[in-house]
Amino acid sequence: MNRQTFDQGWEFSEAAGMMAMMAPQWQPVNLPHDAMIAKPRTAGAPSGSGGGFFPGSVANYRKKFFVPEAWRGQSVQLEFEGVYMDAEVSVNRQLLRLQPYGYTSFVVDITPYLTYGQENEVNVSANNTAQPNSRWYSGTGIYRHVWLRTGGAVYIQPWGVFVTTRVVDPAASVVQVATELANLSGNVEKAVLRTTILNAEGTVVAQVETPVKNLSIQQTLLVQEASLWSVDEPYLYSLLSEVLVGGNVIDTERTSFGIRSITVDVQHGFRLNGIPLKLKGGCIHHDHGPLGAASYDRAEERKVELLKSAGFNALRSAHNPPAPALLDACDRLGMLVIDETFDCWRMGKNPNDYHLFFEEWWQRDTAALVMRDRNHPSVVMWSIGNEILESLGSPAGADWSQRQVDYVRSLDNTRFVTSAILLYFEEIMATGDIDLMFSLPPIPEDPQKDMWGLLTANFNRPLDVVGYNYMAQRYAVDEKRFPGRVIAGTETWPHMAYTFWKETERMPHVIGDFVWTAFDYLGEAGIGAVNFEGKPAFAARYPYHLANCGDFDICGFKRPQSYYRDLLWGVRTAPFIGVLDPQYFGKPIWFNPWGWEPVSDNWTFPGEEGKSTRVDVYAVDDEVELFINGISVGRKPAGAASQNKATFEVAYQPGIIEAVGYTNGRETERTRLVTASNPVALRLTPDRATVKAAYGDLAYVTIEVMDKEGVRVKYGEPIIVLDVSGAGELIAVGSANPLSEELYVGSQHRAYQGRLLAVIRTTGQAGEITLKAQMEGLPTAQVQLQAE
């Protein structure tokens, strides 16, 4: 079907019930839109720490649109990529669709309810008041794109094209295309389906025409001298599907795809195009930090770009279907994906979560995910759930596992099916040592006493790949206890990155490691928080609203653990220096293993001169030597001998701290930190100098507080005021401070660690965009962008 954006020209209101029909407070809004991110957080919010203390609400949307007479006799449909949650869709006051699950895309056929030659109205309501309904920040409203689909009397069904590459060979690859049509006229005798493959340059490389005898058509095309899709060379082809009647094209559909093969087995692990590949993975939630849940294409693309730059080659959409734009970015940039359905089945984790709808809706929601995403070459595994409680011995758990695996394979048998299995908490709690939950407890030598293995065996049996959450100690044991089992570390502790990765690296039947998490996120507040006064609880109190874990913080800035992983994966070779603020030296440091030591690449601590502190140097060299103002303070083993970390106790002295690596007795590389002086200027750095003028492109601008030598001043939290003019608008501003009570909307924000992030959205007009930033006592700084 012809597909065009339906994002602009909406109105928004938060009136509930019947008042929504008469709400006087309608405000113009364009999509995507998260109604939750602009709301103040409160300690008493029913979403609690899991939801980041954000309030839920009812979000109402309406849009008037003209339906021309030319559409009479055609099919007209609306495609919603995601509405959170309990969505109701009406057209001209006719209720057409209910959609409880907030992450599933869905299509509404509005053809019978239209009036032609005049304006029509679509209304959408999202009800997110039943809290808590999620273990993380959800957002509220129409937070992903909406599309208007129009098709002829004979048209291609939404998600009705399925491309598979049954024979993958650079010399000649065989592409099979299954196309599902729909018929409004009752007569398909003169219809023809023409399918064309174009390469990345737009040249036709294969074409076939098939008379329409029935509504399900199978076609085979041969691509000579095929370019294969891989993480290093993500080559994409375009499939053009056209329905012709009497030689005239009455419907079209475009599908991007890649030619590639995937296999898994215990001897060779995961292979892409026949080449073994370890999955260097990270889990991600769907939010975009200061933007909340609003899914802009550029936000999804930037997330993938940052992960790719840090060595990741795979991600897991935890714990729900991702935005299509994320998968598009993964296709273009070369990132493998585990595409996940649910966080729970019949046994819920929150009073108002998906378990209330699972039995009635699981099949429709699973079909929506698989059919929507099955042409993406980046998607290599379907996950039927995360830490499903039924996996731990529930009598019906194994049946539900088999049932869902069979259904997924009926829709797509070209990819692998997995599920992320949780620890057996009851077994750990029975020991009386709850800390075992955050470690790698030993496995009973007697298989008959291995409760986790016994309870989960039947649940895991249908899976192609079994996902292990935080269980590296089982990798070697289960190679013998469950012969033929392929394992993926679907969640792993960042603080045990060395152990988890080395175990993954050395065992062929373990195909990859997915750290929790690649990006910090809103909600699950404080699971990675640091405490200096005793062991932290799983959940932090208000105003803590971030998880505080992740290789990247919510603004996309690298955290110390990201630099550690760079060294582990060979992305970086130079040492990294992480310094503990002297005010915390000598205090006990407590954090769960989702967290990290509270060090930073900072050597500026006013008022702490002469006080002792700790310096961690991450290095792959045999040894590292640490210098302060040119004087050595020690030389210690690094690399494999100390899991890539050497720790020093030093006295803080302003100036220069420098780490020097040595391998085989010879100096390799140096890294230094310099003490900052007083702030003298703001530095504004956009991620791109040029953006698309079309509505909804984004520019991310980093604002930093700098001294006269160009060193970032990381102390203090000064207020920075922003102003945007020209062909753009400021839609979000924020920092990675987990304790901030500031909103992520508005024109000012406090800097954190000497910086903050501004997000500018294009308005649909070409021209210059100017961002000005002001901080008391400093000259105004500005940067120009071009929208074209």
Side-chain angles (χ1 to χ4, degrees):
M1 302 182 74
N2 295 306
R3 189 169 179 256
Q4 56 185 295
T5 180
F6 206 63
D7 284 346
Q8 294 182 265
W10 291 80
E11 291 181 296
F12 168 71
S13 169
E14 289 188 290
M18 288 297 296
M19 289 301 298
M21 301 292 293
M22 302 174 287
Q25 299 300 320
W26 289 103
Q27 300 175 356
V29 68
N30 293 324
L31 307 179
H33 177 244
D34 178 4
M36 182 181 277
I37 192 64
K39 293 183 174 298
R41 303 178 292 277
T42 61
S47 67
S49 62
F53 302 101
F54 282 86
S57 64
V58 175
N60 303 296
Y61 300 85
R62 70 181 184 184
K63 177 173 177 172
K64 294 181 179 179
F65 63 106
F66 183 77
V67 177
E69 281 288 345
W71 286 6
R72 194 182 295 274
Q74 297 188 19
S75 174
V76 184
Q77 302 181 11
L78 291 176
E79 178 185 345
F80 294 85
E81 291 187 356
V83 183
Y84 202 91
M85 59 175 290
D86 280 334
E88 298 181 11
V89 179
S90 301
V91 171
N92 296 330
R93 299 201 173 186
Q94 297 291 316
L95 179 62
L96 305 186
R97 177 66 180 253
L98 303 176
Q99 176 64 40
Y101 194 33
Y103 297 111
T104 300
S105 295
F106 59 97
V107 177
V108 182
D109 187 349
I110 64 175
T111 310
Y113 308 96
L114 297 176
T115 54
Y116 299 91
Q118 57 185 284
E119 278 197 334
N120 291 242
E121 182 171 294
V122 57
N123 289 82
V124 180
S125 173
N127 189 339
N128 195 16
T129 59
Q131 297 285 344
N133 57 54
S134 175
R135 295 191 300 115
W136 54 86
Y137 176 87
S138 63
T140 298
I142 310 178
Y143 67 101
R144 292 177 179 167
H145 294 305
V146 179
W147 301 92
L148 177 68
R149 287 178 169 270
T150 56
V154 180
Y155 64 90
I156 300 164
Q157 293 272 27
W159 312 329
V161 177
F162 183 23
V163 186
T164 57
T165 51
R166 299 291 180 176
V167 177
V168 176
D169 188 330
S173 292
V174 177
V175 177
Q176 293 182 328
V177 182
T179 306
E180 295 293 327
L181 303 177
N183 179 19
L184 290 177
S185 67
N187 183 7
V188 297
E189 291 181 2
K190 297 181 180 180
V192 172
L193 176 65
R194 181 168 66 199
T195 299
T196 306
I197 297 177
L198 300 94
N199 63 17
E201 291 72 42
T203 302
V204 174
V205 296
Q207 188 177 81
V208 64
E209 291 189 7
T210 304
V212 177
K213 302 296 185 183
N214 55 64
L215 299 180
S216 296
I217 299 177
Q218 303 285 332
Q219 296 172 307
T220 301
L221 300 94
L222 185 67
V223 178
Q224 303 280 4
E225 298 181 357
S227 297
L228 304 190
W229 186 96
S230 69
V231 295
D232 295 321
E233 297 182 19
Y235 191 93
L236 293 173
Y237 288 89
S238 179
L239 188 84
L240 175 62
S241 304
E242 298 172 295
V243 179
L244 296 87
V245 174
N248 297 316
V249 176
I250 64 169
D251 197 39
T252 63
E253 189 80 26
R254 289 186 177 271
T255 306
S256 177
F257 74 99
I259 298 175
R260 57 105 176 100
S261 67
I262 53 174
T263 58
V264 291
D265 58 58
V266 294
Q267 290 81 27
H268 304 98
F270 176 85
R271 286 183 288 179
L272 179 62
N273 301 327
I275 301 171
L277 179 69
K278 290 289 185 182
L279 304 184
K280 298 176 178 178
C283 301
I284 57 170
H285 274 315
H286 71 297
D287 76 79
H288 295 284
L291 288 172
S295 176
Y296 293 89
D297 292 1
R298 175 56 189 161
E300 305 289 354
E301 180 182 60
R302 177 177 180 260
K303 184 178 287 187
V304 178
E305 285 178 350
L306 290 170
L307 293 176
K308 189 83 174 179
S309 72
F312 287 87
N313 63 22
L315 59 83
R316 173 178 169 229
S317 66
H319 305 291
N320 46 259
L326 178 81
L327 299 182
D328 290 341
C330 290
D331 291 345
R332 291 193 305 271
L333 299 173
M335 183 73 73
L336 304 174
V337 178
I338 298 178
D339 203 341
E340 194 154 86
T341 53
F342 313 120
D343 188 48
C344 65
W345 295 351
R346 296 193 303 167
M347 299 173 67
K349 300 175 182 177
N350 274 300
N352 300 298
D353 63 19
Y354 187 68
H355 82 280
L356 299 174
F357 314 105
F358 175 79
E359 288 198 62
E360 180 182 352
W361 282 88
W362 75 269
Q363 196 163 6
R364 280 175 283 185
D365 288 330
T366 299
L369 168 75
V370 176
M371 293 179 68
R372 187 196 72 175
D373 295 348
R374 61 188 176 179
N375 293 315
H376 289 279
S378 57
V379 177
V380 294
M381 274 186 271
W382 306 112
S383 171
I384 58 174
N386 169 68
E387 296 186 344
I388 299 302
L389 299 180
E390 289 93 330
S391 67
L392 295 178
S394 167
D399 292 338
W400 275 105
S401 176
Q402 184 70 64
R403 186 176 177 184
Q404 291 185 76
V405 169
D406 289 345
Y407 185 62
V408 169
R409 288 176 180 152
S410 74
L411 299 170
D412 174 23
N413 63 2
T414 70
R415 292 172 174 85
F416 312 114
V417 184
T418 188
S419 184
I421 311 302
L422 77 165
L423 299 160
Y424 184 39
F425 293 112
E426 291 184 22
E427 187 176 40
I428 294 172
M429 293 176 69
T431 67
D433 185 1
I434 305 303
D435 287 344
L436 286 175
M437 185 165 59
F438 303 126
S439 63
L440 300 175
I443 309 301
E445 294 183 8
D446 183 355
Q448 297 306 310
K449 295 181 179 179
D450 176 11
M451 294 306 298
W452 184 91
L454 295 171
L455 291 173
T456 61
N458 290 334
F459 184 96
N460 292 335
R461 190 168 288 117
L463 304 173
D464 300 306
V465 178
V466 181
Y468 280 38
N469 283 8
Y470 313 111
M471 291 183 283
Q473 78 279 21
R474 298 201 65 99
Y475 294 172
V477 172
D478 286 355
E479 182 180 17
K480 298 177 181 178
R481 290 194 181 168
F482 301 98
R485 176 177 288 184
V486 178
I487 295 171
T490 38
E491 287 182 28
T492 62
W493 308 118
H495 200 253
M496 299 180 190
Y498 190 92
T499 297
F500 275 97
W501 180 248
K502 292 301 179 182
E503 289 294 276
T504 301
E505 206 170 33
R506 74 182 183 88
M507 299 182 193
H509 72 289
V510 182
I511 64 173
D513 178 276
F514 289 77
V515 65
W516 191 271
T517 176
F519 252 86
D520 197 11
Y521 53 95
L522 302 168
E524 276 197 305
I527 69 166
V530 175
N531 197 325
F532 300 98
E533 299 175 354
K535 296 181 181 179
F538 177 83
R541 295 179 179 179
Y542 181 83
Y544 219 106
H545 67 288
L546 307 181
N548 201 48
C549 62
D551 282 24
F552 290 88
D553 68 26
I554 64 162
C555 295
F557 302 137
K558 286 171 75 74
R559 303 175 76 217
Q561 52 264 55
S562 181
Y563 292 102
Y564 183 89
R565 196 175 307 279
D566 286 348
L567 290 159
L568 191 61
W569 285 348
V571 176
R572 173 190 176 106
T573 55
F576 173 83
I577 303 172
V579 183
L580 178 71
D581 190 321
Q583 67 176 311
Y584 300 125
F585 182 76
K587 294 183 178 181
I589 299 174
W590 303 94
F591 55 90
N592 295 326
W594 292 289
W596 198 263
E597 286 93 356
V599 298
S600 65
D601 53 347
N602 179 31
W603 193 240
T604 307
F605 305 100
E608 304 292 334
E609 292 80 4
K611 294 184 180 179
S612 296
T613 194
R614 181 181 115 188
V615 176
D616 292 339
V617 180
Y618 310 152
V620 291
D621 294 289
D622 296 340
E623 295 178 298
V624 290
E625 188 171 10
L626 195 64
F627 294 85
I628 297 177
N629 296 328
I631 300 173
S632 175
V633 295
R635 184 163 168 166
K636 293 190 174 184
S642 61
Q643 297 194 357
N644 292 353
K645 184 173 77 172
T647 298
F648 299 83
E649 181 179 330
V650 304
Y652 168 62
Q653 302 173 34
I656 298 172
I657 185 171
E658 190 169 33
V660 180
Y662 300 91
T663 295
N664 297 324
R666 302 183 63 180
E667 180 181 329
T668 56
E669 296 183 76
R670 294 173 173 244
T671 298
R672 61 163 49 184
L673 302 176
V674 179
T675 301
S677 56
N678 294 328
V680 299
L682 296 176
R683 182 170 67 190
L684 279 57
T685 307
D687 64 333
R688 298 177 299 165
T690 302
V691 292
K692 299 174 184 175
Y695 169 80
D697 198 12
L698 303 181
Y700 286 81
V701 183
T702 302
I703 298 104
E704 298 172 284
V705 183
M706 311 301 292
D707 76 357
K708 62 182 180 180
E709 301 297 331
V711 178
R712 177 156 51 101
V713 182
K714 298 182 180 181
Y715 61 86
E717 296 184 358
I719 295 174
I720 297 176
V721 179
L722 305 175
D723 177 72
V724 174
S725 59
E729 56 188 341
L730 182 67
I731 61 167
V733 58
S735 75
N737 184 354
L739 290 166
S740 174
E741 296 186 74
E742 297 170 282
L743 300 180
Y744 291 104
V745 294
S747 60
Q748 67 178 45
H749 206 282
R750 291 186 179 275
Y752 178 65
Q753 296 179 342
R755 64 186 170 193
L756 56 83
L757 181 73
V759 186
I760 298 169
R761 178 177 63 191
T762 54
T763 58
Q765 302 296 319
E768 196 171 74
I769 303 170
T770 301
L771 170 65
K772 295 181 179 180
Q774 293 178 305
M775 173 180 155
E776 186 176 355
L778 301 185
T780 299
Q782 69 178 40
V783 66
Q784 276 79 37
L785 309 172
Q786 195 66 35
E788 55 183 43

